[in-house]
Amino acid sequence: MMELAKAARKYPHKEIEWIFTHEPDEQVKDQSFKGPQTKIQRLNYHLDYLRWKEFQLPDLVKKHQPDVLICADFVSPAASLPCRRLTVIHDAFFWQMPQNYPRWWRKYFLSLIKKGLREKTEIITTTEYSRTSIEKHLGKNWPISVIYQSPKSLKAASDQSIIKKLLLTKSSYFLHIGTFDKRKQLPLLVKAFADFVRITGSDKKMVLVGGPGQSAQMNDLPLVERLIEELGMKEKILLPGYLTDGEIKALYENAFAYVFPSENEGFGIPIPEAMGFGLPVIHSDQEALLEVAGGAGLSFQTGNQEDLLEKMIHLDQEKELCENMKAKGKIRSQEFSAQKFIEAFQKKILERSLVE
C-alpha cells in the first residue's frame, strides 16, 4: 500500500486524480497493532478493520464518487458500490495452506474476501503463479491481471551501527529478512548453514532479521532458537529481531548473499530488493520465486537441505559465479521499479475508460 501511494505521487498521470483515505506517511507511523498482542488487542483490531472496511469505506465512496476503488489488502466492501473495484489478492495462501491459520479466523477472512467480490470487480495479483493459484480456488468469474510489485523504497540513511553491534564485516554473512512463518523454511536454512560451516570451516555468519510468525500455527521462531542452541550456532546465526529501515539498508549493503528458502510465496519481494543492492540470491525453486528471479538467482530444490547446502558452498567458492550473479541481478531488479509498478496500475485504471 505504501509503495503504491508513494509511486502515485512521484509519477503522476495527467488523467488520474488520487484520493487517499488516509495520509500514508502518518498512517504508517501507527504502531498500535505491531508486535506481540493480547487476544483483546487482536479482537479490537479485527473489529476496527471490519467497521472501517464494511461501513466507513463505503460511506467515503458515496462522498467522493470515485471511478475506481483500489483495495490493496484482499478485501473489498460487501456493500454494492457504483464504481469499479480493483481488489489486490497477493497470493492464495488462505486456500493452499489452511494448516497455517486459526480455523475461525481463516473462515472469517475468506468470507470477507468472497463477499467483496461484487459487481465490476477486477482482481490484481502479483505473479502468473499467483494468478493460476487464485483461479484454481476462485474460478474465472472475475478478470485477473498481474502487476509486479516494487520493493520498499529504503530512503532512510544507512545505519552502519548495526554492523558493529552484530560484529559483522563486509561480505561476512548470509542474510534473510522476514517473519519466521513456517512456509519460510528457516529451520531448513539453519541446518544447511550449520553444515556449511562444518564442511567449509568458513567464518561467515547468518543473519535472520524479523519477528515471530503471525500465529502459533505459523510461528517457527521457537524451533529456530532451539536448533541454534542444539547445533552450537549461537555465535554464528544471529537473530536481531525487527530493525529500522536504516539498519536493514546497512545489512543489505554489507552482506555476502541473500538466501530465500521459502516453500510458498505469491511474489517474493526480497529477491528484487536484494538484487537491487547488488547481492547474489540463492532461492528455492518455488514457482513465484523462479518467475521473479528470472534466471538471475541460484535456485535449489524446495525443501532439499543438501541441495541448499551445495548451492551455498558453490557460491562461496566460485568468485566468478558470484560476480556474474551480481551483474544479472542488478539488471533483473530494474524490472520492478516504482515507475513500472505505478504505470501498470495507471494502465489498468484507464483501460476501461478507453473501452467505454
Side-chain angles (χ1 to χ4, degrees):
M1 292 182 191
M2 281 301 299
E3 297 314 306
L4 179 62
K6 289 177 184 177
R9 286 177 165 171
K10 186 174 182 180
Y11 302 102
H13 191 289
K14 63 181 181 180
E15 297 179 53
I16 297 174
E17 175 189 356
W18 290 85
I19 301 169
F20 295 102
T21 59
H22 301 73
E23 177 53 43
D25 290 330
E26 291 301 316
Q27 185 69 12
V28 80
K29 293 176 184 176
D30 185 354
Q31 301 293 303
S32 303
F33 298 104
K34 187 172 183 178
Q37 303 157 23
T38 66
K39 289 184 178 180
I40 295 297
Q41 286 175 314
R42 290 197 295 271
L43 178 60
N44 284 337
Y45 168 78
H46 288 302
L47 290 174
D48 282 348
Y49 182 83
L50 182 66
R51 181 167 55 248
W52 155 251
K53 186 69 73 168
E54 302 298 346
F55 299 99
Q56 293 172 289
L57 183 54
D59 284 345
L60 286 174
V61 170
K62 292 175 184 177
K63 176 183 176 181
H64 294 286
Q65 298 185 359
D67 299 296
V68 183
L69 172 67
I70 299 178
C71 292
D73 61 346
F74 290 77
V75 177
S76 177
S80 182
L81 299 174
C83 61
R84 287 171 60 206
R85 308 173 190 227
L86 298 182
T87 302
V88 182
I89 300 181
H90 299 260
D91 49 61
F93 295 164
F94 297 114
W95 295 278
Q96 294 172 325
M97 310 177 80
Q99 71 278 8
N100 285 357
Y101 304 93
R103 185 180 301 176
W104 70 267
W105 184 88
R106 176 177 172 271
K107 185 176 181 180
Y108 158 75
F109 203 72
L110 284 176
S111 174
L112 289 183
I113 292 173
K114 290 179 179 178
K115 287 179 185 298
L117 296 175
R118 298 292 302 274
E119 65 280 322
K120 298 181 182 178
T121 292
E122 298 163 69
I123 295 173
I124 305 295
T125 193
T126 55
T127 55
E128 292 296 337
Y129 164 75
S130 285
R131 190 218 302 256
T132 301
S133 301
I134 292 167
E135 284 181 345
K136 180 179 178 181
H137 296 281
L138 287 180
K140 298 183 179 181
N141 297 321
W142 299 275
I144 303 178
S145 300
V146 173
I147 296 180
Y148 283 153
Q149 293 176 260
S150 173
K152 186 176 182 180
S153 50
L154 296 172
K155 297 297 184 183
S158 179
D159 186 354
Q160 296 294 318
S161 66
I162 189 66
I163 304 300
K164 294 179 181 178
K165 180 180 178 181
L166 298 178
L167 303 179
L168 302 170
T169 57
K170 182 72 173 177
S171 299
S172 68
Y173 57 95
F174 292 91
L175 179 64
H176 179 277
I177 299 172
T179 59
F180 284 72
D181 286 353
K182 289 185 181 297
R183 65 184 173 84
K184 299 290 186 179
Q185 292 283 289
L186 294 179
L188 178 86
L189 178 55
V190 166
K191 289 183 281 189
F193 179 74
D195 286 343
F196 168 81
V197 172
R198 176 178 54 82
I199 292 170
T200 66
S202 173
D203 59 0
K204 283 187 170 62
K205 296 181 180 181
M206 174 70 70
V207 182
L208 305 177
V209 180
Q214 296 179 24
S215 69
Q217 291 99 317
M218 297 169 68
N219 185 24
D220 257 348
L221 181 55
L223 176 56
V224 167
E225 292 173 330
R226 187 166 66 249
L227 278 173
I228 291 173
E229 181 76 32
E230 292 172 355
L231 295 168
M233 288 279 114
K234 290 189 73 173
E235 301 300 318
K236 302 285 286 183
I237 301 178
L238 311 179
L239 308 176
Y242 287 114
L243 298 178
T244 66
D245 284 358
E247 290 170 329
I248 288 172
K249 193 173 185 178
L251 286 172
Y252 269 129
E253 290 171 344
N254 290 280
F256 166 68
Y258 193 93
V259 190
F260 201 6
S262 182
E263 68 176 336
N264 197 5
E265 295 289 334
F267 182 78
I269 278 182
I271 288 182
E273 191 168 70
M275 287 178 174
F277 278 94
L279 292 183
V281 175
I282 300 173
H283 61 86
S284 65
D285 63 358
Q286 190 264 345
E287 291 179 59
L289 301 188
L290 287 172
E291 181 180 338
V292 171
L298 187 62
S299 66
F300 71 95
Q301 184 180 24
T302 302
N304 189 325
Q305 182 180 327
E306 291 300 317
D307 195 20
L308 173 55
L309 169 62
E310 181 182 315
K311 296 304 191 297
M312 293 173 73
I313 293 173
H314 190 38
L315 187 64
D316 183 53
Q317 295 180 348
E318 297 290 336
K319 186 174 181 180
E320 185 175 350
L321 170 65
C322 202
E323 294 304 315
N324 286 340
M325 287 181 63
K326 289 179 181 180
K328 289 181 179 179
K330 273 285 191 181
I331 295 170
R332 180 60 178 166
S333 69
Q334 294 170 9
E335 294 299 313
F336 306 94
S337 68
Q339 185 170 359
K340 289 189 176 184
F341 176 52
I342 195 61
E343 285 176 351
F345 263 99
Q346 290 166 346
K347 181 179 179 182
K348 176 57 59 179
I349 289 167
L350 292 172
E351 68 180 18
R352 180 70 70 85
S353 298
L354 293 175
V355 171
E356 293 174 348

